Amino acid sequence: MSDSDGKKTLGLRGSRPGQVKQSFSHGRTKSVVVETKRKRVVVPKPGAAKPSAKTAGQSSPATDPKNRPAGISDAELDRRMKALAAANAREAEEAEKRAADEKARAEDRDRRRAEAEAKEREEREREEKAKAKAEDEARREREAEEAKARAAEPAPAPAEPGPVAAAPRGGAPKPSTPVRRDRDDRDNRKAKPTRDDGGRRAGKLTLNQALSGGEGGRQKSLAAMKRKQERARQKAMGGNVEREKVTRTVQLPEAITVGELANRMSERVADVVKSLMTSGIMATQNQSIDADTAELIIEEFGHKVQRVSDADVEDVIQKVVDDEKDLKPRPPVITVMGHVDHGKTSLLDAIRNAKVVSGEAGGITQHIGAYQVDQGGTKLTFLDTPGHAAFTSMRARGAQVTDIVVLVVAADDAVMPQTIEAINHAKAANVPMIVAINKIDRPEANPDKVRTDLLQHEVVVEKMSGEVQDVEVSAIKGTGLDELLEAISLQSEILELHANPDRAATGAVIEAQLDVGRGPVATVLVQTGTLRQGDIFVVGEQWGRVRAMENDHGERVKEAGPSVPVEVLGLNGTPEAGDVLNVVETEAQAREIAEYREKAAKDKRAAAGAATTLEQLMANAKADENVSELPILVKADVQGSAEAIVQAMEKIGNDEVRVRVLHSGVGAITESDIGLAEASGAPVFGFNVRANASARNSANQKGVEIRYYSVIYDLVDDVKAAASGLLSAEVRENFIGYAQIKEVFKVSGVGKVAGCLVTEGVARRSAGVRLLRDDVVIHEGTLKTLKRFKDEVPEVQSGQECGMAFENYDDIRPNDVIEIFEREEVERSLS
Ligand code: GDP
């Protein structure tokens, strides 16, 4: 609506119209007429009261004399107007002053608030500093205490992988310390929200704050914010910084998993993985890293490295020396030995059938390679593995299982080679013997002959006023069995056999096999402690967890104490007879040990041959002050030579080393000899005898040295030289071939010619030859002729036939073996 259109505006009567101009965007304007309805004023009418003018509103009613209230003079009006103006001015002045005051007050308020806040902030910082200082001091105190504790204890917990693994992170030996720190942290956290509500967010600049210029105009500088952030970060990292200061000695094996490494350093796995990554190695927690890499990481974290060898894994096996008071009597373990056919098996059967509680219908069934019998309330454990091989193989593996040896000698026979062997085995193992003179039911039995025979082998039985108990028995008739068992009990009492049943079990494998249905099973004789179902164990190169156990009656048992034989199920592989079983705490330990042993055994096999050399034995004997004996085995062609050698050997020796002949005998070197040699770590000397094929193989496998001699003085000189450490140039014989005589021809002018087959290596015309009959050397010399078909040849290869004749020797027979050898001189350095 515009006032220029000439239209009459609609208005209120008696109002005072005014105009207001409104401005809009784009320059548009609009005038609006504003009319104010005048309030009707009722004034007393002293005179003619004129109605209000139509033009009213043009001037203020006060200033317009026409509008002035009736009865007011000009002067009065003027005065009033002036007063009004003054009042107006005063009012404006007052408003101004109020505004100024208000502003000043606001400024003052702001200032004071800022001051207060600054003060508060200062105070807070001071508090924080004090707290940090206190914490620092407390920590230092703590560290000092720890250091003291460590110094006081020579074997600190971090040195052991177990406790470190179990210790809490930052595993301070004092458990109260980390707890206290935690509480402090919690308090801090609790205090925070009230202290700086928004303070937590203050580090973060919100958009609003940035635009509005901060809270209440108080904008923090970026640097301040950064400082605050840095403070917060340091506080968060406070724990880490502290941990890094605790230097640990980390035991480092040749290979370690990342997780275990972190554990041993008491660092977070993630940190270790990160650190590895920066070195360019991507490894997860369960991956193994080598010791060199691990060492770098350990140093990076500021810890100390202590390299440990693989063999230390065996350290977890308890090597507790039992307290006297923990020891309880245990049954003796008996092995029956003797010459073949003298009745070992029959005697074991007789004892079992007579003594085992026979509740089972159809007689006793043999379940495992050992059984227990009851003898007047005490138990006796018999190993049902007759034969010397089992005995020696056990000893060779470090299991001294047998307490008593029962030596079976047939009364109708005499002391035979294996009887002597058994005697020597028992002596070598230092195990007492009881002589069972068997087959006394036989009419031709002559027990006294056995007794006198034994005298020759330094076995003096009681009847001959000696100390060795002797009992006459008949396995077939069952006579004398009680006396034998009584003799065993008596011997056992003398031995005072004890073991601690309340500890982790150790035992020895008597026999083991892979059962189709049940997997690997092993008959174990518990030696100390008690083996229980669920136990984790390592046995030789194998490990396992006892899944089930059966006793000698085939009954399920939950536990087996000392001297109790049980069949154990739950192995991961088949161990060997004689392997030692040890219960360990964790499966990881068991696996680690088994793996280590497997590797060590492989290395040993690779290095076999050097294991039991004479030089090494001598060196060992000298190095180890406790070992002052050099054990040897002697096999000779005739009794006379054997005795001569033994006598010569016994004279050798000085203050440091003495030669001890473990066993001497006549005939070829057998597997049993090798077994005994291995068990005792002895070399075997063959005097004009050879090892048979199986003995040779076994010696190669076990690394037992066999030395052959044909002159006693050579043998004695070698042993002497080795004993004194002075080894002259050695004349070494190399066997270059073997030939078997198939036929013997008589050729006129040449003499006897052997038609042979070269079975091994080569036959060489220029080489030395020996004639062996039953592995015994019966001639040594040179060849007169070596013919292939009709021609004289220098060499004949293995698998070919040839004709051979000896120089100056004619006693050749079919099936004799010709050994072909060459001699070479080897210079030996002083060792
Ligand atoms: P091993 O080789 O030492 O185990 O001997 P054995 O126990 O196999 O016995 C060999 C032979 O001797 C068997 O034929 C037995 O029957 C027999 N035998 C064992 N003990 C006696 C005995 O006390 N008296 C008699 N007459 N024969 C026996």
Side-chain angles (χ1 to χ4, degrees), residues 248-312:
R248 297 176 190 289
T249 305
V250 180
Q251 289 204 337
L252 180 60
E254 274 143 55
I256 189 168
T257 62
V258 175
E260 179 61 25
L261 178 64
N263 206 351
R264 290 190 188 186
M265 293 194 293
S266 289
E267 300 288 352
R268 292 190 309 146
V269 177
D271 291 343
V272 177
V273 170
K274 222 182 279 168
S275 172
L276 277 165
M277 256 191 229
T278 48
S279 326
I281 296 157
M282 301 292 164
T284 58
Q285 183 169 357
N286 294 325
Q287 262 169 348
S288 280
I289 52 171
D290 63 88
D292 290 337
T293 314
E295 187 166 348
L296 289 177
I297 300 298
I298 293 168
E299 276 164 5
E300 204 169 289
F301 279 88
H303 299 299
K304 288 202 188 76
V305 180
Q306 190 193 357
R307 290 267 194 137
V308 292
S309 105
D310 269 359
D312 293 352

Side-chain angles (χ1 to χ4, degrees), residues 94 169 216 306 577 705 783 795:
E94 264 171 24
R169 182 143 289 164
Q306 190 193 357
E705 189 186 34
L783 286 179
E795 249 182 37

Side-chain angles (χ1 to χ4, degrees), residues 696 735-743 754-765 767-769 783 785-789 793-805 815-821:
R696 258 204 311 271
F735 298 106
I736 57 170
Y738 281 95
Q740 175 112 44
I741 300 180
K742 298 282 176 196
E743 267 178 276
C756 313
L757 173 72
V758 180
T759 51
E760 247 178 80
V762 292
R764 197 168 286 157
R765 169 78 174 78
V769 282
L783 286 179
T785 175
L786 177 64
K787 276 197 159 108
R788 176 115 177 92
F789 302 112
V793 288
E795 249 182 37
V796 178
Q797 297 295 324
S798 162
Q800 295 181 338
E801 288 184 337
C802 62
M804 282 195 244
N815 285 328
D816 283 355
V817 172
I818 298 170
E819 181 182 271
I820 305 122
F821 65 91

Side-chain angles (χ1 to χ4, degrees), residues 330-348:
R330 66 168 176 87
V333 180
I334 303 116
T335 300
V336 176
M337 288 168 114
H339 195 72
V340 67
D341 276 349
H342 278 199
K344 297 180 291 291
T345 318
S346 311
L347 189 62
L348 278 164

Side-chain angles (χ1 to χ4, degrees), residues 650-687:
E650 278 165 0
K651 283 191 200 130
I652 299 176
N654 48 30
D655 295 344
E656 296 164 26
V657 184
R658 191 165 69 80
V659 178
R660 179 167 153 242
V661 182
L662 283 182
H663 174 59
S664 70
V666 175
I669 297 164
T670 61
E671 239 188 309
S672 170
D673 294 325
I674 302 297
L676 178 57
E678 190 206 5
S680 308
V684 182
F685 292 100
F687 184 77

Side-chain angles (χ1 to χ4, degrees), residues 311-322 503 506 582:
D312 293 352
V313 298
E314 300 250 8
D315 288 354
V316 296
I317 292 172
Q318 282 189 19
K319 290 191 187 79
V320 197
V321 178
D322 289 311
R503 54 172 280 187
T506 66
N582 290 101

Side-chain angles (χ1 to χ4, degrees), residues 520-666:
V521 287
T523 301
V524 174
L525 180 81
V526 178
Q527 292 184 286
T528 51
T530 301
L531 186 63
R532 294 190 171 83
Q533 199 171 341
D535 276 352
I536 297 163
F537 60 86
V538 57
V539 53
E541 295 164 37
Q542 314 297 339
W543 64 277
R545 182 193 287 268
V546 181
R547 202 169 68 222
M549 289 193 289
E550 279 180 14
N551 67 8
D552 48 349
H553 303 303
E555 297 158 354
R556 284 279 164 118
V557 287
K558 291 261 183 250
E559 53 177 48
S563 293
V564 175
V566 277
E567 191 175 57
V568 175
L569 274 74
L571 294 118
N572 77 327
T574 316
E576 289 184 54
D579 277 345
V580 177
L581 177 144
N582 290 101
V583 169
V584 292
E585 270 170 32
T586 68
E587 214 172 280
Q589 286 173 348
R591 197 181 300 128
E592 203 178 14
I593 297 170
E595 278 168 9
Y596 158 70
R597 286 184 181 168
E598 199 183 336
K599 191 171 155 277
K602 229 181 254 167
D603 293 348
K604 193 188 164 195
R605 275 194 286 272
T612 328
T613 64
L614 184 60
E615 289 84 2
Q616 240 186 12
L617 278 166
M618 276 300 181
N620 289 351
K622 280 187 158 181
D624 187 348
E625 286 171 8
N626 301 326
V627 180
S628 53
E629 280 186 340
L630 169 70
I632 59 165
L633 259 85
V634 177
K635 279 313 233 351
D637 51 350
V638 288
Q639 189 61 37
S641 324
E643 278 168 16
I645 293 165
V646 171
Q647 277 172 14
M649 288 294 127
E650 278 165 0
K651 283 191 200 130
I652 299 176
N654 48 30
D655 295 344
E656 296 164 26
V657 184
R658 191 165 69 80
V659 178
R660 179 167 153 242
V661 182
L662 283 182
H663 174 59
S664 70
V666 175

